[in-house]
Amino acid sequence: MAGRELNAGSKDGASPGATVIDWEQPWFTGVAPAGALLSLEAGEPLCDRLNRLLVTSSARGVRPQMDSGKPIVFAPQADLPDGTPYEKHIHDTGRIPTRDNLHDLFNGLAWLSYPHIKSRLNATQAHALAQPHMPPPGEGGKNGRGALRDAVTLFDENGLVLACSNDELATALRRFDWQTLFQDRRTATLVQTEPWVVGHALLEKLMNPYKSITAHTLIVPVDDSYFRASFGERRSTIDRLVSDWLANWPFFTPRDLSPLPVLGLPGWWAGNTAPGFYDDTDVFRPGRSRQR
């Protein structure tokens, strides 16, 4: 899967243009199979191209759908009625408003690649929006969303799932112990963890990688048999495990997400083998005392 040129616009959809996406980059692993199949038709709405991939998924017996059972459909941005929250509209209709830009392209690929996670995140957002007593602005989370919606928003936009079969490595990440995670136990990190980028804004940022890009990471314990499974089985396992965890943990807050400078991951960036790469404390910050 080499780099391919796709037509996409700016984040606000105002200025279409051509963008080369290298699907072989490690951060695109989870969405690359769908991304590599995207049509290159110039001028065709992104929602139409994504809907063709939905047809392909349905032919394989895998049709992404909402928790309610409604099949998802990618729709033009104008499909979103004025004054209707984006998350509520998707939850109620199964229709995902989609602009012709990279941000929504990666959002669409995330829906195709992690359908259970995305539908669960949306259901959680919609349920929170339906509550009669939301905290006022400045209380209980950013912009008055509350801690749960803050966590869901962070994970949806900037989330990474780290499958991990080694408790020492999981603890090192939670404690910001970069020396253990990336240097002393570097080989173990390579063979006993597997990162999956879920957040569509994070995928968009990684189009132009820079050292300080930091994911909000959910650590998922797995056993060693996980790493012997096929790519499709591993991705499906992660999709199910995270969805189930979200469904059964109503106390989800940003404290459950560990900051992870992703270009520090072994194999993700050639520069992280250079002496002193991890000494940059503006990026690889010292540990925190509180843990969940």
Side-chain angles (χ1 to χ4, degrees):
M1 289 180 288
R4 300 174 68 218
E5 188 174 77
L6 297 176
N7 288 287
S10 65
K11 187 169 182 177
D12 61 7
S15 54
T19 302
V20 175
I21 301 178
D22 182 1
W23 297 114
E24 294 183 352
Q25 292 291 353
W27 41 81
F28 292 141
T29 295
V31 300
L37 295 176
L38 271 177
S39 162
L40 302 181
E41 296 292 332
E44 182 181 24
L46 176 60
C47 59
D48 291 346
R49 289 186 277 168
L50 290 169
N51 282 329
R52 278 205 296 277
L53 293 184
L54 283 174
V55 172
T56 302
S57 296
S58 297
R60 298 197 311 267
V62 182
R63 176 69 191 235
Q65 61 184 28
M66 309 303 299
D67 279 9
S68 64
K70 294 185 182 74
I72 73 165
V73 177
F74 296 100
Q77 178 66 21
D79 190 70
L80 179 63
D82 289 342
T84 301
Y86 173 83
E87 296 91 349
K88 182 179 187 302
H89 177 71
I90 296 173
H91 184 262
D92 291 347
T93 68
R95 297 175 66 82
I96 302 170
T98 303
R99 301 161 298 181
D100 294 319
N101 60 37
L102 279 173
H103 191 79
D104 287 9
L105 182 151
F106 285 122
N107 185 49
L109 294 180
W111 273 100
L112 289 160
S113 305
Y114 308 104
H116 294 97
I117 293 174
K118 292 289 284 186
S119 62
R120 175 54 57 186
L121 290 169
N122 175 260
T124 303
Q125 289 273 28
H127 178 74
L129 283 166
Q131 300 309 301
H133 301 295
M134 290 294 293
E139 296 182 18
K142 294 180 180 179
N143 303 314
R145 285 189 300 244
L148 175 61
R149 288 194 65 214
D150 272 355
V152 169
T153 300
L154 280 172
F155 188 65
D156 188 35
E157 293 279 346
N158 201 55
L160 181 146
V161 178
L162 188 71
C164 181
S165 65
N166 184 314
D167 289 343
E168 180 187 4
L169 299 177
T171 298
L173 175 55
R174 293 189 181 102
R175 292 180 176 172
F176 300 5
D177 182 359
W178 313 118
Q179 176 76 28
T180 295
L181 187 67
F182 293 141
Q183 296 180 276
D184 297 347
R185 302 300 308 279
R186 188 177 183 88
T187 300
T189 297
L190 269 170
V191 301
Q192 292 183 297
T193 72
E194 184 173 37
W196 300 88
V197 178
V198 173
H200 51 286
L202 179 56
L203 288 164
E204 184 183 17
K205 281 188 280 189
L206 284 163
M207 285 289 295
N208 296 289
Y210 52 91
K211 187 176 182 179
S212 62
I213 292 178
T214 300
H216 290 83
T217 304
L218 185 67
I219 302 169
V220 175
V222 296
D223 59 33
D224 289 336
S225 65
Y226 163 88
F227 297 99
R228 296 192 290 272
S230 69
F231 166 85
E233 290 169 334
R234 297 197 312 277
R235 188 176 66 177
S236 179
T237 294
I238 291 302
D239 191 29
R240 290 284 189 182
L241 287 175
V242 174
S243 176
D244 289 348
W245 183 86
L246 290 166
N248 290 286
W249 183 241
F251 311 108
F252 185 30
T253 79
R255 297 291 303 179
D256 292 305
L257 301 171
S258 297
L260 173 61
V262 295
L263 295 190
L265 287 163
W268 273 42
W269 193 246
N272 69 29
T273 61
F277 182 86
Y278 297 105
D279 295 339
D280 183 351
T281 55
D282 287 336
V283 175
F284 300 98
R285 297 182 179 183
R288 60 188 178 194
S289 58
R290 291 178 59 198
Q291 296 181 65
R292 288 176 69 105

